[in-house]
Amino acid sequence: MPRPVLTGSEERPSVGAIKNARHPFYEHCEDTLDRIRQQGRYRTFTPLARQAERFPLYEEEYPGLPEGREVIVWSTNDYLGMGVVPEVQDAAIAAIRDHGAGAGGTRNIAGHSPLHARLEAELAALHGKEAGLLFISGYVSNQASLQTILSSMPGWICFSDRLNHASMIAGIKGAKGSSTVIFEHNDLADLEAKLAAAPVDAPKMIAFESVYSMDGDVSDIGAICALARKYGALTYLDEVHAVGLYGQEGGGVSQRDGVADQVDIIEGTLAKGFGVHGGYVTASAEIIDFLRSTASGFIFTTSLPPSVVGAALVSVRKVRAENWRREALFERVATFRQRLRAAGVPFTMTDSHIVPIPVGDAERCKRISRRLLNEFGHYATPINYPTVPEGTERLRLTPGPFHTDEMMDDMVRALATLLRAEGLMPTREVAQQLA
């Protein structure tokens, strides 16, 4: 087909006009942000400085005051408060003095220290595996490991729980040549039906979590592993919100339930129950060596700095040895729930340490969170879409070992006041039924 002849009015814009034109991506950003604001889910960050000696007290920068004010935080993921334990802090400081502030390169380029090797061995022992591998974060450990494994052979089918974390979804979606089958959340019958319908000779993986962080529910790891054996599937378990907290040594729900040896790959984080930073996977020696040798998210990233690794090593060892920390956590969780129930404050009862307060509207959820902070000095993160489905917005509370009875009583009174003002306080009988 001959090219059309351009008339004067149809001439292409000049190079100068293109150079000075505003790229359409800017408008796309503005439109997207406007929609997010209209939906009531625009995210703002609250500047809070943790006070190591007074945790869970933080200091908020408060407009109009020369100094910040103290705030009680209820939404930290440092579940055991290990990030402020003096021995953990001292280990970080000692590592900086001994090795410097940064790692100096990737693990292959001067970024591998004896501390890294010791921590990987400690994590492998924690989960009863042959080897472990550190990543820069829990997100990267999931994304890199899943993507690498599911791209390794033709025909992979990944059976993924519908509520898996965004990092798992990113790794699964990024795997070239694989296909994904979503099974309904914690639905063993649906999982088995979909496994049975898959080609017998296809390489299969079941990817799931132990504790789902937004709803606080727990998977049946043993039953899923039994299905994996029946249908010849590899198991990949995310224990991010369970490591440190469950099991006699903090190895997670799989350790608590005595099934860690049935799971092929266990992934975890150092940033929650251990209070520091970084992610990891543990598995057989050949799987870990394969990831070490082929996962771009590991190979081409500067390794964790010695201060982080040194602190994490001490934290993991202390958490493994000191079961009283887990006992203290769950005593505080039970006490907080009792106080909520007695006051008629609605909450979602879960099998984990997570205490969701249902709200059901993004703007209202943000408003309650903001008033909790501004009027009562309590910080609780509003959880909105896309983290949770629209209509299920909630405050996500994680009481820990350092929350006192007085803090709990004050928080319960504040919640009751605000929820009542929003028309969200049911009758006491209904609240007890919900709990």
Side-chain angles (χ1 to χ4, degrees), residues 186-200:
N186 276 345
D187 190 329
L188 295 173
D190 186 53
L191 173 59
E192 180 163 22
K194 287 172 176 174
L195 284 165
V200 174

Side-chain angles (χ1 to χ4, degrees), residues 245-268:
L245 281 64
Y246 299 82
Q248 186 60 32
E249 294 185 332
V253 177
S254 58
Q255 184 183 78
R256 182 199 70 180
D257 295 350
V259 294
D261 61 325
Q262 300 177 31
V263 182
D264 293 294
I265 303 165
I266 296 178
E267 184 266 352

Side-chain angles (χ1 to χ4, degrees), residues 10 61 69 114 128 131 133 142-143 164 204 215 217 239 271 291 348 352 402 410 419:
E10 296 169 328
E61 293 184 9
R69 65 164 183 168
L133 190 66
N142 268 334
Q143 183 183 35
N164 275 343
K204 305 174 187 69
D215 291 331
D217 54 343
E239 288 261 37
L291 290 172
T348 303
S352 70
F402 299 102
D410 196 55
L419 293 177

